């Protein structure tokens, strides 16, 4: 988990380097796709760019681009937004 903290604080100029390296770790199964998606989404948010994985989104972005977002999520091994939302709702029911 230490590498995740490092990524959160790395300079933006290192973004492309880490993006390239981390996708290989995802493919090999050494890194959960969520960490990669969080790094990408943080970079996009800082630069006021459109979401790719739907982690940092507004409802308008989700409704308009959900097909593209879900496609991008599948490419790196994340569940669809609808599936993820269902898992979260079931979890919240259990802890209440």
């Amino acid at each position: 988990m230490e590498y995740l903290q490092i990524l959160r604080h790395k300079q933006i100029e290192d973004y492309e380097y880490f993006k390239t390296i981390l996708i290989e770790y995802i493919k090999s199964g050494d890194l959960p796709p969520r960490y990669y998606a969080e790094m990408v989404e943080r970079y996009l948010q800082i630069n006021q760019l459109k979401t790719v994985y739907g982690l940092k989104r507004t409802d308008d972005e989700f409704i308009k681009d959900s097909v593209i977002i879900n496609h991008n999520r599948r490419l790196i091994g994340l569940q669809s937004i609808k599936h993820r939302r269902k898992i979260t709702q079931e979890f919240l029911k259990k802890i209440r």
Side-chain angles (χ1 to χ4, degrees):
M1 297 300 172
E2 291 175 17
Y3 55 87
L4 184 57
Q5 292 300 323
I6 292 168
L7 290 176
R8 288 183 176 155
H9 300 288
K10 285 304 284 178
Q11 296 299 318
I12 291 176
E13 61 264 11
D14 296 333
Y15 170 76
E16 288 300 328
Y17 168 76
F18 281 106
K19 185 177 175 188
T20 303
I21 297 299
L22 293 180
I23 199 71
E24 294 304 319
Y25 282 108
I26 290 171
K27 290 177 184 177
S28 69
D30 293 324
L31 181 73
R34 178 77 184 199
Y35 293 164
Y36 175 80
E38 286 178 3
M39 182 198 70
V40 171
E41 291 290 300
R42 181 171 183 271
Y43 175 82
L44 296 173
Q45 186 179 33
I46 288 168
N47 290 286
Q48 300 177 347
L49 300 170
K50 197 164 114 178
T51 186
V52 174
Y53 300 111
L55 302 181
K56 315 261 187 220
R57 60 155 180 85
T58 65
D59 288 335
D60 291 339
E61 288 172 328
F62 171 71
I63 292 167
K64 188 168 92 174
D65 296 331
S66 63
V67 172
I68 295 167
I69 289 170
N70 284 327
H71 173 75
N72 293 338
R73 291 171 69 94
R74 277 191 301 277
L75 289 175
I76 64 167
L78 289 174
Q79 302 103 339
S80 70
I81 292 174
K82 185 177 179 180
H83 186 207
R84 186 70 204 152
R85 188 175 287 155
K86 184 177 178 182
I87 291 169
T88 302
Q89 288 172 348
E90 289 174 7
F91 173 76
L92 292 174
K93 285 179 187 176
K94 287 182 183 180
I95 63 170
R96 289 183 185 161

